[in-house]
């Protein structure tokens, strides 16, 4: 069984389009995250939700909007896509949101977004 | 300057070598230190976790944290071709947000 799953795995789209990436976890975790990994493998937190409540909201363009319909799902909607949005987007989940032993974050397989 | 610095490599070693991977950091509030392994086109997976200073060993892997120097290391003994991956250090401060700050990752290739 897949613990953290993301759809789609690959997304190729034109500049200016709006797209969504979906994430689901079946681990029973309370906290979910979105990360962006650039072409140099640098992985940076974007958002986190704890039981549907926004906890971490890093400085990202407001074209990016997360939405958590329930604690097992966290989606990422991106408006007016730009070339610089091309990256791999990872969803992750953890049992709790705190730093520490219980903060092991389990990552999904990633969504490779290419904006043309 | 990034909060966490990690040499991206690539690092190429022969099978059986001892590998040393390192990160430095600037934020003295970091208390939790992790190493993640990421295979090509996969998500990162937790390899080692250490709280505060000290050493932790798990099989062929040893993680070390020196908070006085703001320096962490991961040692891999008897490296295997299956260890070929990108290794990312990650850190977080005590708190309830779970925010991880990652290094850039070091790409390791172990040649048979």
């Amino acid at each position: 069984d897949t613990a953290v799953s993301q759809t789609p795995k690959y997304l190729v789209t034109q500049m200016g389009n709006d797209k969504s990436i979906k994430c689901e976890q079946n681990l029973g975790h309370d906290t979910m995250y979105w990360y962006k990994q650039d072409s140099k493998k640098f992985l940076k937190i974007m958002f986190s939700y704890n039981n549907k409540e926004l906890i971490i909201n890093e400085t990202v363009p407001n074209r990016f909007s997360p939405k958590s319909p329930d604690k097992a799902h966290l989606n990422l909607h991106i408006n007016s896509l730009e070339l610089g949005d091309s990256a791999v987007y990872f969803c992750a989940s953890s049992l709790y949101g705190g730093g520490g032993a219980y903060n092991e974050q389990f990552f999904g397989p990633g969504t490779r977004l290419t904006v043309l | 300057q990034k909060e966490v610095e990690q040499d991206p490599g690539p690092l190429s070693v022969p099978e059986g070598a001892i590998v040393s991977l390192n990160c430095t950091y600037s934020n003295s509030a970091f208390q939790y230190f992790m190493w993640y392994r990421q295979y090509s086109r996969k998500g990162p997976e937790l390899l080692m976790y250490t709280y505060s200073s000290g050493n932790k060993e798990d099989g062929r892997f040893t993680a070390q944290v020196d908070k006085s120097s703001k320096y962490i290391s991961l040692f891999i003994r008897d490296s295997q071709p299956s260890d070929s991956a990108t290794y990312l250090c990650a850190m977080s401060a005590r708190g309830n947000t779970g925010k991880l700050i990652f290094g850039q990752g070091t790409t390791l290739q172990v040649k048979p």
Side-chain angles (χ1 to χ4, degrees), chain B residues 10-13 19 21 76 79 83-87 106-110:
Chain B
L11 182 62
S12 182
V13 301
V19 176
L21 305 168
I76 307 174
S79 56
D83 295 328
S84 298
T86 296
Y87 291 80
T106 300
T107 299
L108 171 67
Q109 184 181 28
V110 181

Side-chain angles (χ1 to χ4, degrees), chain A residues 19-90:
Chain A
K19 290 293 178 185
S20 291
I21 306 172
K22 295 186 176 182
C23 179
E24 177 181 0
Q25 55 95 1
N26 63 5
L27 297 167
H29 288 170
D30 281 348
T31 306
M32 297 183 72
Y33 310 80
W34 277 115
Y35 286 87
K36 179 181 179 180
Q37 188 171 46
D38 64 22
S39 58
K40 295 184 178 178
K41 297 281 184 77
F42 188 53
L43 192 61
K44 190 170 182 196
I45 182 86
M46 299 173 71
F47 304 102
S48 79
Y49 269 78
N50 182 273
N51 205 9
K52 301 196 294 175
E53 180 186 353
L54 182 64
I55 300 297
I56 296 173
N57 186 2
E58 289 292 290
T59 307
V60 300
N62 58 15
R63 299 181 293 104
F64 289 80
S65 54
K67 190 167 283 188
S68 181
D70 56 61
K71 73 174 193 176
H73 295 84
L74 180 63
N75 304 323
L76 183 66
H77 189 75
I78 316 171
N79 289 326
S80 304
L81 278 154
E82 300 178 358
L83 294 176
D85 298 332
S86 296
V88 182
Y89 292 85
F90 285 100

